[in-house]
Amino acid sequence: MSKKTYYISTPIYYPSGKLHIGHSYTTVAADAVSRYKRLKGYDVMFLTGTDEHGQKIQRKAEEKGITPKQYVDEIVSGIKDLWKLMRITNDRFIRTTDDEHVEAVQKIFKKLYDQGDIYKSEYEGWYCTPCESFWTKTQLVEGKCPDCGREVELTKEESYFFRLSKYQDRLIKHIEENPEFIQPVSRQNEMLNNFLRPGLEDIAVSRTTFNWGVPVSFDDKHVVYVWIDALSNYITALGYSAQDDTLFQKYWPADVHLVGKEIVRFHTIIWPAMLMALDLPLPKQVYGHGWLLLEGGKMSKSKGNVVDPQILVDKYGLDAIRYFLLREVPFGSDGIFSNEALINRINSDLANDLGNLVSRTVAMIDKYFGGSIPAEKVAGDFDSELIKLVGETPAKVEELLDKLQFSTALTEIWKAVSRTNKYIDETMPWVLAKDEANNPRLAQVMYNLAETLRIISILIQPFMPETPEKIWNQLGITDKSLVEWEKSKEWGVYPVGAGINKGDVIFPRIDLKKELEEIEKMSEKAAEANNTAEVPKAKEVQKPAKTEKTAEPPVDETNANLITIDDFAKVDLRVAKVLEAEKVEKADKLLKMKLQVGDEVRQVVSGIAKYYTPEEMVGKTLILVANLKPAKLRGIESQGMILAASDENGLSLVTIDKDMPSGAHVG
Ligand code: MSP
C-alpha cells in the first residue's frame, strides 16, 4: 500500500533583506509538522521558497545599481543558508524566478483570460509598494496603507482584472461548509465579516509601470501582479501544467498552507477563487498564525529592531531557539520575543527540567551500577503513576500536533519531564543506595527514569533536531528501532544492560543578569556606532569589512552605494553650538552635551569621550544630523548625531571654517 501523503507549505519569502527571527517562526513551525508527519510514516512534501518579483525588489536593485536578478540571487542564497542553520527539512525550494514557475504562471494567466475570468480594463487606485497591495480610497486608514501604515501611491493604468466578484458566493459557502478551511476560527470570522460578506470587487492583476515580473504572454507590456504570481507557487512547484505533473497529481490539494495572519486574506480569498477558476480543489486548510513581536511592535527591518537568528543560534544553540519559538507563544496568537523570556525558558524548561533529568539519571546509573542497569528489578510505590502519565503523553502530543498546537504539545511533554523529576524526589535513590538489599528496587527506579527519557526523546524530535541524539548517546541507545515514533507508545523498551555514556550537560544554565548585561553592551555598541557618524576611510568605502559568519547578505553590508541628490536632501544637517558637556557615568566613551540649534536646545550623546574632554567641547561649532530619530544610549536620550572623521589613530569632529549662526543649514 502506498504511504499517505502530507503537503505543507510556508509562504514564499520576499528577498528584500535579511530575514529576522520572526520569519523563522513560520518555517520552524512547518518544519516541526513535517518532521512529525515523516516520523508518523507519511510521505511529506514540505515546500518553501522565495517571492522575487515586484516593484519593491526592482527599486531596491535600482538603488544598489545592480539588476533585480543579481539582487535576489545574493539574498536568496542567504535565505537558503538560514534554513540550513535552522535545520529546516524542506523537500522543495521554489523561486518565482525559476523558468518552470514563470512558464506555468503564464499558462495560468492565459487560461483565465481565455475563459473570461481575466479581462482588460483601466485601474485607478492606491498602491502600497512594500506590501504589493492595491487599496480603494475607502480602505485606506488616514490615507495610509491599512496593513502596514505606510504611504501609498495613486496609480492609474491599463490593467487586466480578475473576476474575483464572481466567486464570492461560492467562497462564502465553502468557508461556511468547511470550518477547518480557515484556522484559527477567529480568522474565519474576520474574512467573512470584513471582506467576503461586504462584497468582493474584481482585482487588478497586471501592472505596466515596472517590468520586474512575469510577462503576460499575450501582452508583454504587462507583468502579472505579484500575488497572482506568488500564490501560484503552491501548484507550480509541483509541476502543475508541466509535462511531468506527477508531484502535482500526488500531493495536491495541500493539507495546509501555514501563513502569518496579515496574509490570510490573500490565501483565503484570492487564492481559492483562482483555484475555483482553474477548476482545481482547494487546500484543505489555511492556518494563520500570529506575529512574534518585539517590545510592542512587529519585528521589521525598517523599525530597526531586527533579531538576528544567526546570533541567537550561535549564542544559545539551535534547539533552544526552536523550542522557544514553538513553546512560548500559542500558535495563532501574537507573542513577545525578548532575551529575558528566552533565557528564562532555557534555564527553567531546558537546563533545570530536561537537562537536569538527563544528567541526574546518567550520573546515578553510573554511580550506583557502574554504568548499566542490572536485570533484577522490583516494582514499587510511585511507579504506576509515572508509567500511566508517561504512557498517556504520546497520544496527547499527536492530537495536539495534528491541530498545530505546538505550545500545548510541548507542555504535555514537559508534564512528563516534571513528573519524572518528581519521581526522583519521591523514590529517593540516594537513600535506597545506602543498603545493597535495595538494589533491585534501585534498579527499577533507574530503569523507569531511563525508559521515560527514551520516550521523551522520541516525542521531542519534531521540535529539536539535535537533542534526541544526545540523549540516546548518553543512555547508550544504539539501536534506532527502539526510538521509532510508534515505540513512544510502548513501555519497557529500553534495553537492560545498555551502557550509559556520561556526556556534556545538554543545556547549560545561563546567568541571566550577566547575559542581559552583555546583550545591553552589544546593543549599546551598535547604537554608539550608529550615533557618531564616522566618515569612513576611502578603502573601507570601496570594500566594506566583512565579519565572519554573518548571515547578513553582502548587498546589505555595503555603504558603497551611490545615492541621489534627493536621498541626500532627506538628511537635515545643521550648525550646532555646544552649550554644556559632561561625561556619562560608567560609560567611558560617552559625552552628554547640550547643543544650541537655532531656537532649540538639543541633548546629544556621542561616543567621543576618549578624544575630547567636556571642557574643550564647550563653545565648539559642530554639524548635527538634526532629523535623526532619537535613540537612547545608557538610558539617556540622544536627539541627533554629530559628525566626525575617524581612523585607527583617532577621531576629529567636523566643524565649519567661518562663523555661522547655530541652526544654519548645511548641505
Ligand atoms: N511574499 C509574501 C508571501 C507570499 S506567499 C504566496 C510574504 N513574504 S514575507 O517575507 O513578508 O513573510 C513571510 C512570512 O513571514 C509570512 O507568513 C509572515 O507573516 C511571516 N513573518 C514575518 N515577520 C513575522 C513576525 N515578526 N512574526 C511571525 N511571523 C512573521 O508575506
Side-chain angles (χ1 to χ4, degrees), residues 11-14 20 22-23 25-26 51 227 230-231 233-234 259-263 267 289-292 298-299:
I12 46 174
Y13 290 79
Y14 290 129
H20 53 65
H23 291 114
Y25 186 62
T26 323
D51 182 0
W227 272 99
L231 289 162
N233 95 88
Y234 299 123
V259 302
K261 62 178 184 181
E262 81 285 13
I263 54 174
H267 284 81
H289 66 69
W291 287 337
L292 207 58
K298 193 183 169 198
M299 259 182 232

Side-chain angles (χ1 to χ4, degrees), residues 149-185:
R150 282 177 277 207
E151 295 292 336
V152 286
E153 292 170 45
L154 184 63
T155 51
K156 186 171 177 172
E157 56 182 282
E158 174 191 286
S159 178
Y160 286 92
F161 279 75
F162 173 55
R163 278 188 211 286
L164 188 61
S165 56
K166 178 174 152 189
Y167 295 95
Q168 174 181 321
D169 294 341
R170 267 179 75 186
L171 263 168
I172 295 178
K173 192 161 175 275
H174 183 84
I175 295 171
E176 283 172 346
E177 285 175 1
N178 297 277
E180 290 299 305
F181 179 57
I182 307 178
Q183 282 294 319
V185 184

Side-chain angles (χ1 to χ4, degrees), residues 432-648:
L432 293 172
K434 285 189 179 145
D435 184 349
E436 263 192 34
N438 292 329
N439 270 1
R441 176 63 191 140
L442 186 59
Q444 182 71 60
V445 171
M446 291 301 114
Y447 185 86
N448 291 349
L449 296 179
E451 180 59 351
T452 310
L453 274 174
R454 182 191 65 84
I455 292 171
I456 289 166
S457 70
I458 297 175
L459 299 179
I460 58 174
Q461 287 177 99
F463 311 92
M464 300 184 165
E466 292 170 351
T467 307
E469 191 82 42
K470 290 183 186 166
I471 298 179
W472 301 334
N473 281 339
Q474 299 215 13
L475 289 178
I477 298 175
T478 46
D479 178 355
K480 292 290 149 65
S481 72
L482 307 184
V483 284
E484 281 169 4
W485 186 264
E486 291 307 314
K487 284 277 199 285
S488 66
K489 298 168 187 166
E490 288 175 34
W491 183 265
V493 175
Y494 181 71
V496 171
I500 55 95
N501 305 296
K502 273 174 84 176
D504 293 338
V505 168
I506 51 176
F507 292 106
R509 244 194 106 72
I510 299 165
D511 182 332
L512 176 67
K513 199 166 156 256
K514 249 168 94 185
E515 187 69 17
L516 289 180
E517 275 168 17
E518 199 180 295
I519 292 165
E520 173 94 343
K521 266 191 216 143
M522 257 171 75
S523 37
E524 266 172 19
K525 248 192 194 162
E528 276 170 27
N530 283 337
N531 229 35
T532 304
E534 299 180 358
V535 182
K537 290 168 276 176
K539 63 178 189 313
E540 275 180 358
V541 173
Q542 280 152 18
K543 198 169 176 297
K546 203 175 161 189
T547 39
E548 245 187 296
K549 262 194 132 181
T550 167
E552 178 101 44
V555 278
D556 265 350
E557 288 174 2
T558 179
N559 46 13
N561 304 309
L562 300 178
I563 60 166
T564 64
I565 189 80
D566 291 339
D567 291 331
F568 182 69
K570 287 185 197 150
V571 184
D572 185 13
L573 295 175
R574 301 292 183 114
V575 171
K577 305 236 161 147
V578 183
L579 299 173
E580 291 169 29
E582 63 179 275
K583 287 204 156 195
V584 174
E585 248 186 44
K586 289 192 213 141
D588 50 4
K589 283 190 187 158
L590 299 181
L591 281 191
K592 181 172 97 177
M593 290 167 283
K594 291 259 163 27
L595 306 182
Q596 175 90 45
V597 189
D599 296 333
E600 256 185 273
V601 174
R602 294 278 189 105
Q603 172 172 288
V604 169
V605 182
S606 183
I608 55 171
K610 286 204 169 139
Y611 309 99
Y612 293 92
T613 61
E615 294 71 31
E616 63 181 317
M617 286 306 296
V618 177
K620 271 196 192 303
T621 302
L622 304 174
I623 305 300
L624 176 77
V625 180
N627 60 341
L628 197 68
K629 253 191 173 166
K632 278 201 170 161
L633 289 164
R634 293 279 160 127
I636 307 170
E637 182 164 293
S638 182
Q639 303 152 336
M641 146 180 113
I642 53 172
L643 298 186
S646 75
D647 70 8
E648 60 274 9

